[in-house]
Amino acid sequence: MPWSLKFGSIFGIPVELHITFLLLLLMFSFFGVMPLIVVILLFVSVFIHELAHSLVGRHYGAKIKKITLLPIGGVSQMEAIPKSHEFAIAVIGPVASILIGVILFLFGSLAGVKMYFDLNWVELNSVSEIIRAVMSLNFVLGLFNIIPAFPMDGGRVLRAFLASRMDYLKATELSVRIGQALAIVFAFVGIFYNPWLIIIAFFIYIGGMSEYETNRMSSLLKGIKVKDLMIKDIFTVSAGDSLEDFEKLLIEKKHKGYPVVENGNVVGIITTNELLGVSRQKWIETKISDVMIKDIVIASPDMEVFDLHTKLTEKNQGRAAVVEKGKLIGFITKTDILKFSDILSIKRM
Ligand SMILES: [Zn+2]
């Protein structure tokens, strides 16, 4: 996630802190030490909530990329989430938060503190008030996340339930619609009651939409391999050629991007963007290898097109070279993948 700082890693899972969290810490430091401690403990609570999702996810075979902590909650980035175990992975977060609340309630009560629900965490004067605030915040965290507003935990639980009765994509669509309706309610309540709700509503609305799109594409492109879609009739450029040579090829072949080859191996990709990044006077003396994209995505012909699309999006790239046994056999662009999924959606209508 942009604007995140890597904080450390636990159980081999990298943990990131979003910059807005540090701003919140700075803001609360003006209220005194006690509120600052509550904010830090809130972070620890959100972290335990996310860790619970991640560990259960990993138990069922999902690949955990990282945990990012934001002021409105956390995000566990997972890959290859097993659809049959989504219920357990989603429900464990709220369960963990409520459990922390219960433990703090018992701990406080045993220590002789009067435990009741109290969300005032700015004017705090004692340790017992801190325990009370952190307990209350964990109950809020747990109960709020149970609301079935996809992509929040409760919404994921709802999707898992619906998916046992209908097609996965239909279940996602229905959960997203319910989530967006709830987001509108949150935003309204937020205007009168708590501005945080407006921000959360925004994330639910956008997050639901993007997850639906991803699911739709994944189901449309299921079973389609890179070799089915790649361009086999490829034009390559040599790493040692100048940008002026490249410009001539551009006019002749009319493609936007090309694989760059050196001694028979693909070493990069060059597009018109890299060419335009250099002033025209320097095109004669600049080699393609000086400006090409070196950290490219290499695909195998049998890779699923959807997986390649995910990889290109992650690396923020538009093209991949298709290589088999060390030999360049094709070229594929993200635009082609998107166009093809549009065509498939017409077929499905
Ligand atoms: Zn959660």
Side-chain angles (χ1 to χ4, degrees):
M1 198 168 284
W3 299 100
S4 295
L5 310 165
K6 194 173 168 203
F7 189 64
S9 65
I10 290 184
F11 297 115
I13 303 164
V15 183
E16 276 184 352
L17 211 56
H18 197 258
I19 194 93
T20 45
F21 221 126
L22 298 177
L23 292 176
L24 196 74
L25 278 183
L26 192 72
M27 200 174 96
F28 270 83
S29 63
F30 291 110
F31 292 105
V33 178
M34 297 255 180
L36 195 62
I37 293 173
V38 175
V39 176
I40 292 168
L41 290 175
L42 174 63
F43 274 103
V44 174
S45 305
V46 170
F47 172 66
I48 296 172
H49 175 114
E50 289 309 319
L51 193 64
H53 285 307
S54 293
L55 291 180
V56 172
R58 185 147 82 180
H59 175 76
Y60 288 120
K63 224 175 104 195
I64 317 297
K65 286 177 67 191
K66 62 186 170 195
I67 292 174
T68 308
L69 299 176
L70 296 142
I72 56 158
V75 180
S76 305
Q77 269 177 296
M78 298 188 212
E79 260 176 23
I81 299 172
K83 285 178 185 163
S84 49
H85 295 293
E86 270 191 313
F87 174 82
I89 299 170
V91 87
I92 194 69
V95 167
S97 297
I98 291 168
L99 208 63
I100 298 171
V102 171
I103 291 168
L104 287 174
F105 175 82
L106 293 175
F107 173 78
S109 303
L110 284 174
V113 179
K114 223 171 161 194
M115 296 302 284
Y116 52 87
F117 190 83
D118 183 9
L119 269 183
N120 165 27
W121 53 317
V122 178
E123 290 158 37
L124 298 174
N125 303 304
S126 65
V127 175
S128 33
E129 282 179 334
I130 290 183
I131 300 173
R132 211 143 52 206
V134 177
M135 173 196 78
S136 307
L137 285 165
N138 271 286
F139 279 131
V140 169
L141 204 61
L143 295 174
F144 187 75
N145 271 292
I146 282 177
I147 299 172
F150 190 88
M152 284 194 345
D153 297 336
R156 289 183 189 281
V157 170
L158 174 69
R159 176 174 68 179
F161 170 76
L162 292 174
S164 66
R165 260 134 247 265
M166 59 178 91
D167 173 63
Y168 192 75
L169 190 62
K170 278 235 171 71
T172 306
E173 189 182 0
L174 193 56
S175 311
V176 168
R177 289 236 172 100
I178 295 170
Q180 291 185 331
L182 285 168
I184 292 167
V185 176
F186 285 173
F188 260 106
V189 176
I191 293 169
F192 301 106
Y193 182 66
N194 189 335
W196 277 122
L197 277 175
I198 302 174
I199 302 173
I200 292 169
F202 176 78
F203 276 100
I204 291 171
Y205 206 93
I206 302 293
M209 219 146 64
S210 94
E211 196 147 332
Y212 172 69
E213 268 313 308
T214 310
N215 271 283
R216 198 179 77 104
M217 227 178 130
S218 146
S219 95
L220 284 171
L221 293 172
K222 201 176 164 122
I224 312 238
K225 301 279 162 67
V226 166
K227 64 180 172 203
D228 303 328
L229 216 58
M230 68 183 188
I231 308 157
K232 293 179 191 114
D233 194 11
I234 18 173
F235 306 107
T236 58
V237 295
S238 301
D241 284 355
S242 72
L243 290 185
E244 200 175 56
D245 299 328
F246 178 53
E247 189 209 8
K248 284 186 194 130
L249 185 87
L250 268 179
I251 311 257
E252 194 190 319
K253 305 294 182 194
K254 301 168 195 71
H255 287 297
K256 203 170 176 281
Y258 301 82
V260 184
V261 176
E262 191 174 38
N263 305 323
N265 297 318
V266 194
V267 290
I269 285 175
I270 184 160
T271 72
T272 47
N273 295 350
E274 282 72 50
L275 178 73
L276 294 173
V278 178
S279 66
R280 190 173 277 271
Q281 300 94 298
K282 290 187 177 161
W283 284 3
I284 298 181
E285 62 197 64
T286 311
K287 280 186 194 168
I288 286 178
S289 59
D290 297 333
V291 293
M292 67 183 185
I293 306 163
K294 292 189 182 99
D295 184 25
I296 58 165
V297 176
I298 302 273
S300 77
D302 287 315
M303 187 178 189
E304 289 263 340
V305 160
F306 178 75
D307 294 338
L308 176 64
H309 183 269
T310 310
K311 212 166 162 186
L312 285 170
T313 308
E314 271 171 20
K315 283 207 159 187
N316 198 17
Q317 289 192 23
R319 290 159 183 81
V322 187
V323 173
E324 189 177 40
K325 292 177 190 136
K327 204 174 150 255
L328 177 71
I329 59 159
F331 201 53
I332 183 165
T333 72
K334 207 169 151 181
T335 321
D336 288 341
I337 301 176
L338 287 171
K339 270 189 205 154
F340 192 64
S341 89
D342 274 351
I343 291 168
L344 286 174
S345 71
I346 294 170
K347 207 182 110 194
R348 286 277 179 94
M349 281 200 300

